[in-house]
Amino acid sequence: MSAIEPPLAMLAEITHRCPLQCPYCSNPLALERAQGELDTEAWADIFRQAAALGILQVHLSGGEPMARADLPELVATASAAGLYVNLITSAVLCTEEKLAALKDAGLRHVQISLQGSEAANADTIAGYRDAHAKKLAAAGMLRRLDLPLTINAVMHRQNLDQLEALIELSVELGARRLEVAHVQYYGWALKNRAALIPTRAQLDAATATVEAARQRLKGSLVIDYVIPDYYGRRPKACMNGWGRRFLNVTPSGTVLPCHAAETIPGLVFERATEKPLKEIWTSSAAFEHFRGTAWMPEPCASCDQREIDWGGCRCQALALTGDAANTDPVCELSPHHARIAALANEEAAAGGDDFVYRNYRHADG
């Protein structure tokens, strides 16, 4: 067996607390309460271990990371360990003073999510009054502080008509990168799929909009684009493959190959407070379970794409077929593919628009 390369990046979910109530929240169905979160020193130790393992980047996320009073200390310890520190934030709790303190502590980059291009719809999607205005204000603060900005635009049926305006808004806000990311339907988003999934016509129009913008804005704005899996023909290489380039640490210190991996029954994920991070990465049974290609069934096992897509998404296979070891049903070679594509078309055409919002009242699904 070849040596296991170190991960390139770590997502540090330092809290699940969040003022927003997004209907596509990617946090697990069972949210960690504040009393279960790791303290400052525990996170500092994990950051030092991450750097020693060879990780280059840490993405501080949540929930809303600004909800933690010790965020400047967390940024400082991660930076001191030699990690490139990126903050993933809703921005609604940002002030210029707080952002300046984070920059002084070693913050290198900020990613802000936008739910739309205009306030009424964006605030409705976020479930938070004045969220859009606060996000725009925070982008202005970052510009004055000369901190690089990426905009994450989460797209779905109820805001795709604003995509062109969102692209232009990203330019106005001074973003260097825009992630146009269609909702992926697992976790909380699966509960709201019927209200979120776009029609095929919407998706095709969005793709054309992105391609035109890439040409028009080449050299000034990088645009990443992720389509909803249900309309794909081949699966994406989820996290660049299970246990290959990425790891996730939850608010309580559990180490995962992706943020939704705890949905898979039968896998035991270990905590970085109880076992060295390097040992978890290189030899834990959960990370080994779907790492590489030996676990793959047919048609994956003999597919010439098996070391490109790495079998697709295990959590999606579980959610849609009942077995995480099945071929990702997004793949056109999966026996489940036709049913998934038909489901997408049916739910999009039905046009339901009511959300089940995400909050601690609905914390356990």
Side-chain angles (χ1 to χ4, degrees):
M1 180 178 175
S2 59
I4 296 170
E5 296 183 16
L8 298 177
M10 177 174 76
L11 182 70
E13 293 181 328
I14 58 176
T15 183
H16 281 159
R17 289 174 285 156
C18 184
L20 302 193
Q21 304 182 75
C22 300
Y24 45 74
C25 177
S26 62
N27 286 143
L29 295 181
L31 297 174
E32 190 70 55
R33 302 283 176 165
Q35 59 267 32
E37 296 172 4
L38 297 182
D39 62 21
T40 311
E41 183 49 43
W43 274 114
D45 181 60
I46 290 172
F47 295 149
R48 289 189 288 266
Q49 289 190 58
L53 179 57
I55 290 173
L56 302 176
Q57 302 174 355
V58 62
H59 305 285
L60 301 180
S61 181
E64 173 47 63
M66 297 290 291
R68 285 195 60 138
D70 62 348
L71 185 58
E73 289 81 8
L74 296 179
V75 170
T77 55
S79 180
L83 298 170
Y84 180 96
V85 185
N86 173 44
L87 178 67
I88 301 174
T89 177
S90 69
V92 299
L93 302 182
C94 290
T95 67
E96 196 142 0
E97 182 181 8
K98 289 179 180 179
L99 290 173
L102 293 176
K103 181 181 179 181
D104 290 343
L107 182 65
R108 302 283 297 279
H109 182 273
V110 177
Q111 179 176 320
I112 293 177
S113 61
L114 290 182
Q115 282 71 37
S117 64
E118 52 86 18
N121 192 42
D123 291 353
T124 296
I125 294 166
Y128 188 88
R129 182 180 297 175
D130 297 328
H132 190 66
K134 293 177 184 293
K135 291 167 183 283
L136 301 190
M141 299 170 198
L142 294 173
R143 191 162 55 246
R144 290 189 292 274
L145 291 167
D146 196 28
L147 271 169
L149 169 65
T150 290
I151 293 295
N152 178 29
V154 184
M155 308 307 299
H156 46 84
R157 191 174 70 244
Q158 298 198 39
N159 68 0
L160 267 175
D161 60 335
Q162 298 179 17
L163 178 55
E164 183 67 55
L166 272 166
I167 294 171
E168 296 307 315
L169 179 58
S170 298
V171 174
E172 293 171 14
L173 294 176
R176 301 181 184 180
R177 181 179 293 270
L178 167 64
E179 296 180 359
V180 178
H182 286 264
V183 170
Q184 303 300 313
Y185 298 98
Y186 34 74
W188 201 260
L190 195 58
K191 291 180 176 290
N192 286 290
R193 184 178 61 197
L196 296 169
I197 196 161
T199 65
R200 183 75 214 201
Q202 280 185 306
L203 176 60
D204 290 344
T207 301
T209 296
V210 168
E211 290 306 318
R214 279 174 166 169
Q215 293 299 315
R216 185 174 72 254
L217 300 171
K218 189 175 183 179
S220 61
L221 180 69
V222 176
I223 304 178
D224 298 324
Y225 185 53
V226 180
I227 69 168
D229 280 348
Y230 286 46
Y231 288 113
R233 296 179 57 196
R234 293 283 182 167
K236 64 179 183 295
C238 188
M239 302 301 171
N240 288 311
W242 179 282
R244 292 192 70 251
R245 291 288 180 267
F246 173 90
L247 62 76
N248 180 97
V249 182
T250 72
S252 61
T254 302
V255 184
L256 307 171
C258 77
H259 61 269
E262 286 180 296
T263 61
I264 300 175
L267 297 183
V268 178
F269 295 102
E270 296 163 304
R271 293 191 177 193
T273 53
E274 299 171 354
K275 184 173 284 189
L277 194 61
K278 182 177 181 179
E279 187 176 338
I280 295 173
W281 174 256
T282 57
S283 59
S284 74
F287 273 78
E288 285 293 294
H289 198 81
F290 291 117
R291 180 178 268 148
T293 60
W295 63 272
M296 292 181 179
E298 292 293 349
C300 302
S302 58
C303 179
D304 61 4
Q305 301 293 301
R306 64 186 179 278
E307 293 189 3
I308 297 174
D309 60 36
W310 299 101
C313 179
R314 298 302 86 221
C315 303
Q316 184 159 257
L318 173 67
L320 297 179
T321 75
D323 187 343
N326 280 342
T327 299
D328 188 332
V330 168
C331 181
E332 62 186 351
L333 301 179
S334 164
H336 302 279
H337 179 74
R339 180 171 62 86
I340 300 308
L343 186 152
N345 287 320
E346 290 166 8
E347 290 194 348
D353 57 5
D354 292 332
F355 295 141
V356 179
Y357 284 107
R358 188 68 203 271
N359 51 52
Y360 274 102
R361 192 169 63 254
H362 298 141
D364 298 318

